[in-house]
Amino acid sequence: MSTLFINAKLIDPEARIETLGALFVADGVINEVLTQTPENIEMFRMQNKSVTVVDCGGKHLAPGIVDIGVKVCEPGERHKESFGTAGQAAAAGGVTTMVTRPDTTPDIDSPEALEFVIRRAREASPVNVHPMAALTKGRLGREMTEIGFLLDAGAVAFTDCDAVVTDNKVFSRALTYARSLGALVICHLQEPILSAGAAVTSGKFASLRGLPAVSPMAERMGLDRDIAMIEMTGARYHADQITTARALPALERAKANGLDITAGTSIHHLTLNALDVADYRTFFKLKPPLRDEDDRLAVAEAVASGLIDIISSMHTPQDEESKRLPFEEAASGAVALETFLPAAMRLVHAELIDLPTLWRAMSFNPAQRLGLPSGRLSVGAPADLVLFDAHAPFVMDRATLRSKSRNTPFDGQRMQGKVLATYVNGVKVFERD
């Protein structure tokens, strides 16, 4: 099976360029990248008469999004999200690879649980799925998991998600063991004592609303602790979400000192701020909480400069019963697989970031950090692709989302950017009607 994509604005995050061109895909991989001229295309079609031609109509063609930190609620809470519904939502959102979290019920902390996840994903999901495993058993921070066995079983990284390991001796042993195996450890940065029970970021707005709040310094303190542990152990480390300006200087120093550290942020923290909570709207309750506008702009600038390496959706499905509660009691998190790309287009349209840099953070960098071959438009790379219209306007209606849970903060908002088609290994897994 071979396909020739013509008349496409190709986004190459590896080369950091956007060009008009054509892409030839065969046997699930990219075989050739062509300059878009009538002579080139005609000659190629004469030499490959059986090829299927897709005219992209001047729209953008890019590597599929590689999304680190997706929560799929199997096992244990399939009523919130399954691999089938998450995969369909991912395909509709241009996400061709989901890197799933281990904070399920029970946690993914054994080879047997990991093998179940891999098998279910293979059966049900139309997109690639790579699972992460827990760093400590039960994500309780008391005893590290069998990292070597879990690596052999298919884990691509290790994380306790938002359950921060507070015992530094346990944490250092886990980091040391992970380093010896070359395993990547992903951590949540909030200092857990200061953050306990917090629903919003501290400040005048939180005081006016009477909501329990946490200082942005809790994130800085968590990062400082982790940087010291990385320096001591030499582990490969990724901070899942940096959301405050105060954490950025510490991250910059750690990178300058040669530590093996990368950092990410979520699309919600790049496009929303603390004021969006407004009248206690629980769909805007996230972990960490939404930050002030100055923090949002600082983090967006850090992504544009490359200081923050990765943008993720942090897709966290919650059912109606978990969200239709007083703000303090409501569960944290929002779905984002299907809204990831149009939300990211807000950064482009606001001229905070260009498309090649954006795709570097959403596709190339996460693939590189996890050792995956995707995220590129290079010859030999998997033909995991997204065709999208960066300017198409629409009003988000959560009732149309393919996720089982529909707790999106973008409901009713005007957005730009529609996925037209998604391909995994050269096979079309989504096409907009």
Side-chain angles (χ1 to χ4, degrees):
M1 182 178 178
S2 59
T3 306
L4 177 65
F5 297 89
I6 64 171
N7 196 24
K9 291 179 182 175
L10 301 176
I11 299 173
D12 186 342
E14 187 175 16
R16 302 175 188 259
I17 57 173
E18 177 184 342
T19 57
L20 186 65
L23 200 69
F24 176 55
V25 170
D27 300 322
V29 299
I30 297 171
N31 275 36
E32 195 168 349
V33 182
L34 304 167
T35 303
Q36 178 76 35
T37 65
E39 295 79 11
N40 275 358
I41 301 304
E42 186 59 32
M43 183 179 297
F44 189 90
R45 292 179 69 173
M46 289 178 63
Q47 294 172 348
N48 300 270
K49 295 185 178 180
S50 62
V51 69
T52 300
V53 177
V54 175
D55 189 339
C56 299
K59 306 305 181 188
H60 288 91
L61 185 67
I65 296 169
V66 179
D67 192 3
I68 295 181
V70 175
K71 181 169 183 178
V72 179
C73 305
E74 288 190 68
E77 295 179 302
R78 198 169 182 272
H79 64 285
K80 292 184 179 180
E81 191 79 287
S82 68
F83 278 103
T85 55
Q88 291 165 19
V95 175
T96 55
T97 299
M98 297 189 294
V99 182
T100 58
R101 288 166 19 205
D103 53 340
T104 51
T105 307
D107 301 286
I108 309 303
D109 60 0
S110 68
E112 294 78 16
L114 189 69
E115 286 166 4
F116 166 81
V117 166
I118 292 171
R119 184 175 68 253
R120 282 291 299 132
R122 189 180 299 123
E123 293 169 353
S125 174
V127 303
N128 303 310
V129 176
H130 296 284
M132 297 186 285
L135 184 65
T136 65
K137 292 183 178 179
R139 299 190 306 118
L140 297 173
R142 298 172 185 164
E143 182 182 358
M144 69 180 179
T145 54
E146 297 169 323
I147 295 174
F149 290 150
L150 287 163
L151 273 176
D152 292 342
V156 294
F158 295 84
T159 178
D160 278 355
C161 303
D162 60 357
V164 177
V165 179
T166 56
D167 188 321
N168 286 335
K169 186 167 286 188
V170 171
F171 191 36
S172 66
R173 286 173 177 168
L175 288 173
T176 300
Y177 194 63
R179 182 209 62 203
S180 70
L181 296 170
L184 177 66
V185 176
I186 298 179
C187 292
H188 186 72
L189 293 180
Q190 297 301 297
E191 199 288 319
I193 305 302
L194 280 177
S195 303
V200 291
T201 299
S202 59
K204 183 178 179 180
F205 182 78
S207 300
L208 289 172
R209 289 293 184 270
L211 292 170
V214 60
S215 167
M217 285 302 295
E219 179 170 292
R220 164 71 181 277
M221 292 167 68
L223 180 60
D224 283 341
R225 190 282 298 252
D226 284 9
I227 288 173
M229 299 297 279
I230 304 162
E231 188 173 353
M232 182 172 73
T233 63
R236 297 178 61 223
Y237 175 94
H238 177 75
D240 66 350
Q241 293 184 84
I242 286 187
T243 62
T244 69
R246 294 182 184 183
L248 297 175
L251 173 64
E252 189 170 17
R253 286 194 299 272
K255 286 191 169 189
N257 289 335
L259 300 183
D260 193 350
I261 180 173
T262 52
T265 192
S266 87
I267 192 59
H268 294 125
H269 289 92
L270 284 170
T271 54
L272 303 169
N273 66 32
L275 298 180
D276 286 307
V277 171
D279 295 323
Y280 308 98
R281 290 185 288 179
T282 59
F283 282 4
F284 291 83
K285 185 180 181 183
L286 305 173
K287 187 181 289 187
L290 290 172
R291 306 301 191 182
D292 294 336
E293 179 67 1
D294 288 345
D295 286 311
R296 184 187 78 84
L297 292 174
V299 171
E301 184 178 339
V303 173
S305 71
L307 178 59
I308 290 180
D309 308 87
I310 291 169
I311 304 173
S312 62
S313 73
M314 294 309 293
H315 177 81
T316 306
Q318 300 289 3
D319 55 20
E320 297 289 325
E321 291 75 12
S322 300
K323 280 292 189 181
R324 300 296 186 188
L325 293 170
F327 197 91
E328 293 178 46
E329 300 172 24
S332 299
V335 293
L337 284 168
E338 212 165 332
T339 58
F340 194 176
L341 187 146
M345 285 301 102
R346 289 184 167 188
L347 301 171
V348 176
H349 296 311
E351 299 183 350
L352 294 174
I353 195 169
D354 59 51
L355 280 169
T357 303
L358 179 65
W359 244 261
R360 195 172 179 87
M362 295 198 305
S363 187
F364 179 73
N365 285 345
Q368 290 292 297
R369 191 56 167 153
L370 294 169
L372 304 177
S374 53
R376 301 175 294 131
L377 287 189
S378 306
V379 173
D384 296 345
L385 305 167
V386 55
L387 177 65
F388 68 98
D389 184 339
H391 303 286
F394 68 100
V395 176
M396 173 56 64
D397 179 1
R398 74 187 190 99
T400 64
L401 295 178
R402 290 159 178 79
S403 292
K404 280 190 178 181
S405 297
R406 293 168 177 175
N407 51 305
T408 174
F410 297 114
D411 185 39
Q413 295 196 22
R414 298 180 183 276
M415 307 187 81
Q416 280 182 282
K418 283 186 177 181
V419 173
L420 304 177
T422 304
Y423 299 81
V424 175
N425 294 320
V427 177
K428 187 188 296 179
V429 295
F430 171 78
E431 184 174 22
R432 189 165 299 280
D433 297 333

